[in-house]
Amino acid sequence: MRPNRFYYVVRFGPVQVATHYDIRGRAKHTAVCTAPGCDFSADYSTRAGAELAAHTHRCTAR
């Protein structure tokens, strides 16, 4: 399986949360802000953690 294939993508404002498999085959959850100029992105081991980060993210680029 390709390690960079994202699925179950959900958007919370400017932040997208997606699930993917890392190189070792473990499921990882990523939260990324899509606003231009914002550098927020983080990987989490649980989907709940990634969604919490998406809900509480305050974008500095806006």
Side-chain angles (χ1 to χ4, degrees), residues 19-45:
T19 302
H20 66 96
Y21 287 102
D22 68 0
I23 269 222
R24 294 191 169 126
R26 297 175 296 202
K28 294 291 182 179
H29 310 280
T30 304
V32 178
C33 185
T34 59
C38 184
D39 294 331
F40 172 75
S41 67
D43 285 333
Y44 297 91
S45 59

